[in-house]
Amino acid sequence: MDLSKITEIFTESVIREMTRIAHQYPGCINLAQGFPDFPAPEPIKDAAIKAIKEDINQYSITWGSESLRNAIADKVARYNKMDFVEADKNITVTCGSTEAMISSMKAIINPKDEVIIFEPFYENYGPDCLLSGAIPRYIKLYSPEWTFDFDELEVSFNEKTKAIILNTPNNPTGKVFTEKELKFIVDLCLNYDCIAMTDEIYEHILYDDHKHISIASFPEMENNSITINSISKSYSLTGWRVGWAIASERITAEIKKVHDFLTVGAPAPLQEAAAFALSLGDEYYTRLRDFYQKARDKLYNALKNTDLQPIKPGGAYYMMTNCEEYMKNYELKNSMDLAIHLVKRLGIVTVPGSSFYANPEDGQFQTRFCFCKKDETLQAASQKLVKIRS
Ligand code: GLN
């Protein structure tokens, strides 16, 4: 019996597989999948408990509780300068940004439409394209600045281009797209009437003087953008699975239908707590940023004296490393060999670079560390890295 010809083409997520591998090596430090190892903020947890005790335990409105949609509309007007967003017209609350992305793709793609993806990319985008029938086209981000070639991007647009997926701040590179780059993408989207799908889940995790800009804040992009986000990273709540997609009323109407039949709705009490989280003041985000800035610097300093050469991220909480020297010394053939070697030799779990590229060879000398961890976890990792100082 044939099973799906589409699901046959892709594998399970390597990022999540690395967490399962971590469980097989007691005592190892999991710097693979991006989730915090410290508690979520107490007041947000209290808000969830309160919602459950108040019996907000049945389905919410399919496309999101009124309080959460109002909170999202307020926050994006305030932080993202997205003034057009109305709670009733432009928002679909989903089970995490993962669902927001696949529901959005299903809502806009026709078979053989092309979708442009910056590479390296968060691995979900590949299967998202396949599952929605799109043909992905990859545009390289060149290290160490992770810039793209404007001409290469321009020639990849054509009449079949339906969307471009943008993730800023970026996973796995930490690149924060600049205003000039975004403006260039805006013009291409408008010329070819295609949609910028922007995953902004790391919008509050920024270093040095990097600034986050939402492509939907360009007024001309109101009808050509889908902005995806969630509470996972900003509030350290990756397991709650509350996210959303923001788009024009016309696009939102389609996303809502896909979302309804895929998942019906995100967890009702957690949506109430999410609404509370979104109302937190600026000091919360300043503290979050300071915390991650220290974590980034700590991991960077630990890696820079080794042959796992780190590239400093401008945002998000991952660090890509170039490991060619190290791999030569140990005769490691590819990035999965390297990751397994690092688990066995150091007790540190990372994500093989190949999982962020369409052609695995392009990432064969890289591995990704995440640093959304307690200071003591990063301290312990730093001590392990001393063993491989070059
Ligand atoms: N974004 C996280 C990462 O890249 C993981 C998200 C997930 O596993 N759903 O590690």
Side-chain angles (χ1 to χ4, degrees):
M1 182 186 30
D2 278 352
L3 299 183
S4 163
K5 293 267 182 268
I6 295 178
T7 54
E8 236 169 42
I9 312 172
F10 57 90
T11 61
E12 294 227 14
S13 151
V14 177
I15 296 176
R16 296 179 273 284
E17 186 189 341
M18 292 316 289
T19 287
R20 291 192 292 274
I21 289 178
H23 291 155
Q24 292 164 14
Y25 290 85
C28 72
I29 301 177
N30 184 359
L31 302 186
Q33 193 182 12
F35 62 85
D37 69 345
F38 46 83
E42 219 52 42
I44 309 180
K45 292 193 286 190
D46 289 343
I49 293 164
K50 180 164 169 275
I52 291 171
K53 295 259 191 216
E54 284 173 359
D55 258 322
I56 302 181
N57 293 312
Q58 311 310 326
Y59 305 120
S60 68
I61 293 174
T62 302
W63 52 85
S65 77
E66 203 178 336
S67 51
L68 178 53
R69 281 179 292 112
N70 284 331
I72 294 167
D74 281 355
K75 175 142 189 292
V76 297
R78 206 168 65 230
Y79 182 68
N80 307 76
K81 304 196 175 69
M82 289 164 57
D83 304 325
F84 68 90
V85 181
E86 288 183 41
D88 290 335
K89 295 187 177 145
N90 305 106
I91 299 173
T92 315
V93 172
T94 56
C95 296
S97 61
T98 297
E99 196 234 319
M101 183 58 84
I102 187 80
S103 291
S104 299
M105 299 227 9
K106 288 259 178 211
I108 63 165
I109 297 294
N110 289 306
K112 301 211 168 56
D113 280 352
E114 293 186 3
V115 171
I116 296 172
I117 302 176
F118 288 104
E119 187 182 46
F121 55 88
Y122 173 48
E123 63 176 359
N124 280 36
Y125 305 151
D128 285 342
C129 281
L130 292 168
L131 288 168
S132 54
I135 299 170
R137 291 186 65 135
Y138 300 98
I139 290 293
K140 279 261 173 312
L141 295 172
Y142 296 100
S143 69
E145 297 299 323
W146 304 108
T147 43
F148 60 89
D149 181 319
F150 280 33
D151 294 334
E152 273 178 36
L153 182 63
E154 186 156 14
V155 298
S156 72
F157 274 79
N158 64 70
E159 64 292 345
K160 291 194 228 106
T161 309
K162 181 49 114 3
I164 175 167
I165 299 181
L166 201 71
N167 172 212
T168 182
N170 183 264
N171 173 13
T173 65
K175 174 187 176 61
V176 182
F177 282 73
T178 64
E179 187 168 2
K180 185 172 165 222
E181 290 169 333
L182 293 173
K183 176 74 181 117
F184 189 74
I185 296 167
V186 164
D187 289 342
L188 287 168
C189 286
L190 297 176
N191 282 346
Y192 288 90
D193 195 24
C194 77
I195 296 170
M197 305 184 70
T198 154
D199 174 348
E200 303 187 3
I201 194 165
Y202 303 99
E203 64 178 357
H204 287 292
I205 303 173
L206 297 160
Y207 309 112
D208 311 320
D209 45 12
H210 288 281
K211 301 251 174 321
H212 173 68
I213 302 171
S214 293
I215 205 162
S217 67
F218 290 80
E220 60 275 37
M221 286 299 278
E222 183 177 331
N223 294 318
N224 288 70
S225 59
I226 303 178
T227 305
I228 288 166
N229 213 323
S230 96
I231 59 170
S232 292
K233 313 292 181 177
S234 297
Y235 311 99
S236 306
L237 295 164
T238 62
W240 282 20
R241 313 313 299 138
V242 180
W244 54 88
I246 300 176
S248 67
E249 190 172 4
R250 177 170 172 239
I251 298 175
T252 298
E254 303 308 308
I255 299 174
K256 280 177 178 175
K257 286 192 279 181
V258 180
H259 158 73
D260 185 4
F261 288 108
L262 269 184
T263 64
V264 179
L270 304 186
Q271 290 189 49
E272 299 314 311
F276 168 78
L278 264 61
S279 72
L280 292 173
D282 292 346
E283 8 21 282
Y284 172 77
Y285 302 103
T286 309
R287 255 187 287 133
L288 185 79
R289 230 182 249 208
D290 291 348
F291 174 82
Y292 280 130
Q293 176 97 40
K294 288 199 188 87
R296 180 198 71 164
D297 293 344
K298 184 161 218 149
L299 181 64
Y300 183 82
N301 289 333
L303 285 167
K304 83 171 191 268
N305 300 318
T306 72
D307 284 332
L308 311 176
Q309 276 303 299
I311 305 171
K312 217 178 236 183
Y317 47 46
Y318 306 101
M319 206 169 297
M320 278 295 246
T321 53
N322 279 327
C323 313
E324 196 165 354
E325 257 329 287
Y326 186 90
M327 289 172 73
K328 264 196 217 136
N329 290 342
Y330 287 92
E331 291 175 13
L332 300 165
K333 280 192 224 49
N334 57 46
S335 63
M336 187 48 118
D337 279 359
L338 169 68
I340 298 297
H341 164 97
L342 293 176
V343 181
K344 291 186 175 157
R345 172 142 193 247
L346 288 184
I348 295 182
V349 192
T350 58
V351 179
S354 54
S355 55
F356 303 103
Y357 291 86
N359 173 5
E361 290 206 345
D362 292 347
Q364 67 176 332
F365 297 123
Q366 299 174 343
T367 204
R368 188 197 77 173
F369 288 76
C370 90
F371 53 86
C372 47
K373 303 293 168 188
K374 292 188 268 216
D375 189 59
E376 66 198 73
T377 308
L378 295 176
Q379 187 59 32
S382 304
Q383 269 153 15
K384 287 178 185 286
L385 286 165
V386 169
K387 274 200 232 155
I388 59 158
R389 278 209 172 153
S390 44

